[in-house]
């Protein structure tokens, strides 16, 4: 059985485990995503601050996406919602859950939040993420090298 819903405090531990496991592979690249080293407390603060959505299969969290909203200070590179911490548990990669999760989030953004666009960012140095986001219909609109980061961030936008 599948369930798509916003995460709550009771989900933080499972969310944190999926986040850390899903981002662990990024340590092999010159990438410094903040989520890679999140503490459990940071994951809890994240879930309390932003709308974090999860896809559960048979009761287990398999993929999640956070929506950083433009009304939260310093949360978006544009005036539209921004996808962050898009992650799938490593044991569930290759099963289509990321694509399904993105489709569910896009429906939510289009039908509930009534936004015409969504943005996201990823590392230019990542070997496959930029191409994956392009295959999902995102188009690059900016690049920036942030102070203290090992990578250059590519910002993508998608019309909904």
């Amino acid at each position: 059985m599948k369930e798509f819903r916003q995460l709550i405090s009771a989900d933080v531990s499972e969310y944190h485990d999926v986040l850390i496991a899903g981002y662990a592979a990024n340590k092999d690249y010159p990438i410094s995503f903040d989520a890679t080293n999140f503490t459990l407390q940071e994951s809890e603060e994240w879930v309390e601050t932003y709308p974090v959505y999860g896809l559960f299969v048979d009761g287990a969290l398999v993929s999640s996406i956070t929506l950083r909203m433009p009304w939260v200070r310093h949360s978006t590179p544009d005036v539209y919602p921004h996808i962050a911490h898009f992650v799938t548990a490593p044991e569930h990669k290759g099963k289509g859950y990321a694509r399904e999760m993105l489709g569910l989030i896009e429906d939510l953004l289009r039908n509930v939040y009534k936004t015409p666009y969504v943005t996201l960012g990823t590392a230019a140095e990542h070997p496959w993420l930029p191409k994956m986001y392009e295959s999902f219909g995102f188009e690059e609109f900016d690049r920036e090298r942030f102070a203290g980061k090992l990578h250059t961030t590519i910002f993508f936008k998608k019309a909904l």
Side-chain angles (χ1 to χ4, degrees):
M1 185 178 104
K2 290 184 185 174
E3 178 186 20
F4 169 73
R5 65 173 172 80
Q6 186 170 352
L7 301 187
I8 59 172
S9 296
D11 300 312
V12 168
S13 182
E14 187 175 15
Y15 167 71
H16 179 73
D17 291 345
V18 169
L19 185 70
I20 295 304
Y23 273 81
N26 294 314
K27 293 179 179 179
D28 296 337
Y29 311 113
I31 296 171
S32 50
F33 291 140
D34 292 341
T36 303
N37 298 306
F38 252 36
T39 65
L40 181 59
Q41 181 180 350
E42 287 172 310
S43 290
E44 184 173 19
E45 290 169 2
W46 190 264
V47 170
E48 290 173 0
T49 303
Y50 302 103
V52 181
Y53 291 88
L55 179 63
F56 293 80
V57 176
D58 297 326
L61 180 64
V62 299
S63 188
S64 70
I65 290 180
T66 298
L67 294 177
R68 289 176 33 204
M69 299 309 214
W71 51 83
V72 178
R73 189 172 172 193
H74 305 298
S75 286
T76 62
D78 204 337
V79 298
Y80 303 106
H82 183 79
I83 289 173
H85 293 196
F86 185 6
V87 64
T88 298
E91 65 272 20
H92 294 288
K93 289 189 182 219
K95 297 178 182 178
Y97 293 136
R99 187 175 294 278
E100 183 176 354
M101 185 68 183
L102 185 62
L104 292 165
I105 284 294
E106 288 175 358
D107 286 345
L108 183 75
L109 288 166
R110 187 181 307 106
N111 299 318
V112 175
Y113 290 102
K114 308 294 186 194
T115 183
Y117 294 96
V118 66
T119 65
L120 63 79
T122 195
E125 294 79 2
H126 197 284
W128 54 267
L129 280 176
K131 289 192 184 319
M132 181 186 82
Y133 292 131
E134 288 171 347
S135 78
F136 290 168
F138 285 86
E139 296 179 2
E140 181 177 337
F141 74 91
D142 197 10
R143 285 181 184 233
E144 188 168 342
R145 181 79 179 236
F146 292 101
K149 296 293 182 187
L150 300 174
H151 63 274
T152 299
T153 299
I154 301 174
F155 289 102
F156 289 97
K157 185 184 281 186
K158 182 177 182 179
L160 299 174

